[in-house]
Structure formats: structure tokens, C-alpha cells
Amino acid sequence: MTSLFDEPVEAGGEAVDPGSPLAVRMRPHSLDEVVGQSHLLGPRAPLRRLVEADEPMSLVLYGPPGTGKTTLAHVISLATKRQFVQLSALDAGVKEVRAVISSAKRELTYAGRRTVLFIDEVHRFSKTQQDSLLSAVEDRIVSLIAATTENPFFSVVGPLLSRSLVLALQPLSDDDVRAVLRRALTSERGLAGAVTLSAEAEEHLVRVAGGDARKALTALESGAGAARAAGAAEIDLVTLETAVAQAAVRYDRQGDAHYDVASALIKSIRGSDVDAALHYLARMVVAGEDPRFIARRLVIAASEDIGMADPTALQTAVAAADAVAFIGMPEGHFPLAQAVVHLATAPKSNAVTVAIGESVADVRSGLAGPVPPGLRDAHYAGAEKLGHGKTYVYPHDAPEGIVPQQYPPDALVGRDYYRPTGRGAEAGIGARLAKLRAILRRVR
């Protein structure tokens, strides 16, 4: 896209290259310009205190793309007046790291100026490459700021982590993304009021961004270029859709559609319609729904609607939740889809749901009673005198590993909460359960 500027613009003491992408031009120059991450940058937050005190520090910034990891590195460098050097783990090796450290030593020795070394995608560094940083970080020759989208406790070596403060960045909220877009529309470093943005187009940009400021600004820049090419002063929804090639999904993450689509996903899984379930999953993913919300719903459905009819369903749902947290989006939609397919095609049972519901209702209604003496704790001094554990029979001593004895309080003897269906694995569980109950409740 052609720049809206003809000459470089000064901002925060630095010349802004008019040919730079909008996301680069709008990069904050001070902590107060940073949008979001209030848990790190609030008045008493740890990162703000470190920066304002100009203390030597090494940081590992962990978070999804577009949440401000690179931005924070630049801002810290500007705020502390330190030399800023950036390396990418994609194309830098031990040789480049050592060269930066040597330069940092000279800068510190002869100019008294410290160096901020920013390494993007640090999880792509090998153990040897990461180890090459240790002495410089330990001796504070460089202040390391390492950025990663992967969990650093899995991807960064322990010695480097122990020398660094690990800070987790959160995806920007919808309001944060709106603030970024509106600032870019009016700022002299941005679009300088050359175009406006319709309300519908703004909402679409927020959805497309999914908490990623860089993605939002890139799409805005593309939309602005399309509007100017068409001689329009406003970026409307049609122009924006054409520019970013992504249709607007009618989905409000805070409104009725959010809950309607989420409900439709779960009910499609419950109804065993795998194709409908995948459709609703796709709508949520494309609209930028928080993948953790989707994963939580799937974990619940695995127990609520499938339960012991397929015990592996819960394992799959939990694994999908862990995978999404580990790899993030967009690749996270693969394990989510796998979990949806597993859950939708699994045999269904709500027997676990009914069982816990009835047992909780009984407890709340006061149907309980003392724990039978044989089951009470007998490990402390004086318990034997109280008769605790005296009548307890150890099941492992019996040939079948089960003995007839009373486990529930008197008021609940003979009450059946769990009533397995004949579907899936519960068919076998039901047959075994009948034998277990017959032994447990055998009258001597």
C-alpha cells in the first residue's frame, strides 16, 4: 500500500519511515502509549516499576502473536536509554549472539551504556544457542528480552529462566483493539484522518483480529488502501471484506449470538451431528472466539453428555485444551476439531450427570448422616478407643477384591445414584455394577 505520507514524521524523538507498515509506524514510544497488559504496566505493576527504576533486568515475554512483545522490548529500550539490538532466532546463531555480546561489552566499558538484546522466537534457539547467553545475562552485560509464543517452561532452558523474570502477556480485549484502530486512524504516524471507518467495518476488524493488534492494523491498512483506490473517504464493510478477503461472521462474542452458537455447538455434539458441530466450531474460530472458552465447553460436554459411555472422550477434550494452550491459534483449531469429531461421534450417556445431580440434591436437602465407624480415620492416637476403623474389612484381602460392608451413611443405604445406560462402554459397566452392588449389600 502507498504511504499516506510524503515525508518522514517525527514521533517520540525517532523518525518514522513513511514506507513502513502501519503496525510499525504505530508502535508505541512510551509505556503510557501501550494498550492492554495492565497487569504488567499498571501504576504498581512489576514491569513498570523495573523500567521506571531503570534496573538491570532480563525478561522472557510469553504470549500470543500481536500482544505487544516486540513493542514492549522497544519501549523498554527507549525508556531506559539503552542501546537496542534485535535478533531473530530464525536466522541468528551462536556466532551472531557472541558478536552482539562483544559489542555490548565495548559499549558498557567505553560509553557506560547498557544494551537491550531482544531475541524474537527464542523457543527456536537450540539449547547450545540459549546457553551461549548465560554468562552475559548473569554478568548483566546485556539485558535480555526474549519473546516466545510457546510456554517458556517447556521451550527455554532452566538456567536462562532462573536468571530472567517470566511475564505472560494476555490477548488484547475487543476494547483494546478498538483503541488501537481509532488511534491509527487519527494519528500523524498512522492514517492521519485520511479515511474513516464505519461501525460495521470496525466490528469486523475487531473480530478478525482476535486480540492481535498487529493483525488488526494490517487489515486496517489494507482496507484504507482499497478505499483510497476506489476514491472513497470511508472504509465500509464491503470494502474491508474485499481487502482482507475474509467475510464478516455474524457473531458477537459478548452478545446473544455468542451464546447461541456455543449452545448450538454443544447441542450438535449431544445430538451426534458431527458435521453441524464442525460448522459451529468453524464459526467460532473464524469470528475470533477465545479458544479457551471453546475448549472448556468441550471438556464439560465430554463428562456431561458422554461420560462413561466413552471414558476416552474426556481425555481427548482435556488434551485438546492443553494443546491449544501450548500451541495457540490458528493451529489450535486442529486439536479442537479433533475433539469435536470424537465427542460428536461417541456414544452418549448423561448417567454421570444425573448421578452427581441427584447426590448433590440429597446432600443439600439434608439427607446425609454420620460416616460409618468402620470408615472413619483410625490413624491418630485415641482413634481406636473411639471405635474408628474397628469393623473395617480390607478389600484387598478378599479373593475378588471386594467385601460386603456398609460404605454410605445409614440414611443412604441402598440408594442408587449412578444408573448406567446400555450404550458404549456403559453396557459393560452396568453388568459389573450389578454384581458389585449385590456383593456390597449382601445380608450376612
Side-chain angles (χ1 to χ4, degrees):
M1 170 180 164
T2 304
S3 170
L4 297 177
F5 303 112
D6 294 322
E7 300 294 337
V9 176
E10 295 290 331
E14 289 191 347
V16 177
D17 182 355
S20 298
L22 179 61
V24 174
R25 301 202 305 271
M26 289 306 301
R27 182 170 287 155
H29 293 96
S30 69
L31 290 179
D32 292 333
E33 284 188 30
V34 177
V35 175
Q37 313 307 336
S38 59
H39 63 298
L40 301 179
L41 300 173
R44 297 180 180 275
L47 184 55
R48 180 176 287 274
R49 290 203 309 269
L50 284 171
V51 172
E52 291 179 346
D54 197 11
E55 296 180 7
M57 74 196 88
S58 286
L59 307 173
V60 175
L61 302 178
Y62 162 48
T67 50
K69 297 184 291 295
T70 304
T71 290
L72 282 177
H74 279 280
V75 167
I76 290 169
S77 175
L78 291 172
T80 57
K81 307 299 183 184
R82 298 178 186 180
Q83 177 181 234
F84 182 83
V85 179
Q86 180 171 350
L87 294 178
S88 172
L90 292 172
D91 49 29
V94 173
K95 178 182 178 182
E96 287 75 16
V97 169
R98 288 176 176 165
V100 170
I101 292 173
S102 296
S103 175
K105 285 181 180 177
R106 291 194 298 271
E107 187 74 13
L108 184 60
T109 302
Y110 298 111
R113 188 184 184 199
R114 296 188 180 276
T115 298
V116 171
L117 171 57
F118 176 63
I119 299 180
D120 200 12
E121 306 281 354
V122 71
H123 56 271
R124 296 182 182 273
F125 259 3
S126 68
K127 182 180 183 297
T128 300
Q129 290 170 315
Q130 293 185 36
D131 286 343
S132 69
L133 295 163
L134 291 176
S135 61
V137 171
E138 176 76 28
D139 298 335
R140 294 182 174 176
I141 294 168
V142 297
S143 292
L144 173 68
I145 301 181
T148 177
T149 55
E150 296 188 5
N151 189 327
F153 294 98
F154 292 99
S155 57
V156 178
V157 296
L160 196 56
L161 281 180
S162 69
R163 291 164 172 80
S164 307
L165 179 63
V166 179
L167 301 176
L169 278 67
Q170 303 298 326
L172 300 186
S173 69
D174 287 354
D175 287 341
D176 290 336
V177 175
R178 286 191 189 93
V180 169
L181 291 170
R182 291 172 184 177
R183 180 188 293 175
L185 284 166
T186 58
S187 171
E188 291 300 316
R189 284 157 42 202
L191 301 178
V195 292
T196 58
L197 185 66
S198 74
E200 274 192 321
E202 182 182 82
E203 287 307 306
H204 182 47
L205 274 177
V206 170
R207 287 194 298 270
V208 167
D212 185 329
R214 182 168 54 244
K215 190 175 182 180
L217 290 172
T218 300
L220 175 63
E221 186 172 28
S222 181
R228 293 180 68 223
E234 180 184 69
I235 308 171
D236 59 18
L237 182 59
V238 174
T239 301
L240 186 63
E241 287 179 342
T242 302
V244 301
Q246 187 164 358
V249 179
R250 308 303 173 189
Y251 185 93
D252 177 4
R253 287 195 284 173
Q254 274 72 48
D256 292 341
H258 163 79
Y259 296 104
D260 287 346
V261 175
S263 175
L265 170 64
I266 298 307
K267 287 174 180 173
S268 297
I269 289 173
R270 183 181 298 143
S272 300
D273 191 330
V274 65
D275 304 298
L278 285 169
H279 164 76
Y280 291 119
L281 172 65
R283 282 174 65 168
M284 298 172 85
V285 168
V286 172
E289 178 59 79
D290 184 345
R292 295 170 299 180
F293 169 78
I294 302 173
R296 285 194 295 268
R297 297 307 306 167
L298 296 179
V299 171
I300 294 168
S303 286
E304 183 180 13
D305 295 310
I306 298 167
M308 295 302 293
D310 180 358
T312 66
L314 180 58
Q315 297 172 12
T316 298
V318 171
D322 288 344
V324 167
F326 182 64
I327 65 177
M329 297 296 276
E331 290 87 352
H333 70 262
F334 295 126
L336 288 176
Q338 181 176 343
V340 164
V341 170
H342 187 150
L343 270 57
T345 57
K348 304 299 188 293
S349 171
N350 70 341
V352 169
T353 303
V354 172
I356 189 61
E358 291 182 358
S359 59
V360 167
D362 278 352
V363 169
R364 288 176 174 168
S365 69
L367 189 60
V371 174
L375 270 61
R376 295 177 190 173
D377 183 14
H379 291 86
Y380 61 91
E384 185 176 355
K385 293 181 180 180
L386 296 174
H388 291 191
K390 186 176 181 181
T391 60
Y392 178 64
V393 181
Y394 191 55
H396 291 294
D397 291 339
E400 294 182 351
I402 183 170
V403 294
Q405 64 183 335
Q406 181 180 331
Y407 288 95
D410 292 343
L412 295 173
V413 171
R415 193 168 185 84
D416 296 344
Y417 289 118
Y418 179 49
R419 298 183 291 277
T421 68
R423 297 186 289 273
E426 276 196 328
I429 293 172
R432 174 169 170 75
L433 182 58
K435 295 178 182 178
L436 293 174
R437 283 173 175 160
I439 296 172
L440 290 169
R441 298 169 184 177
R442 185 179 301 155
V443 178
R444 291 185 174 182

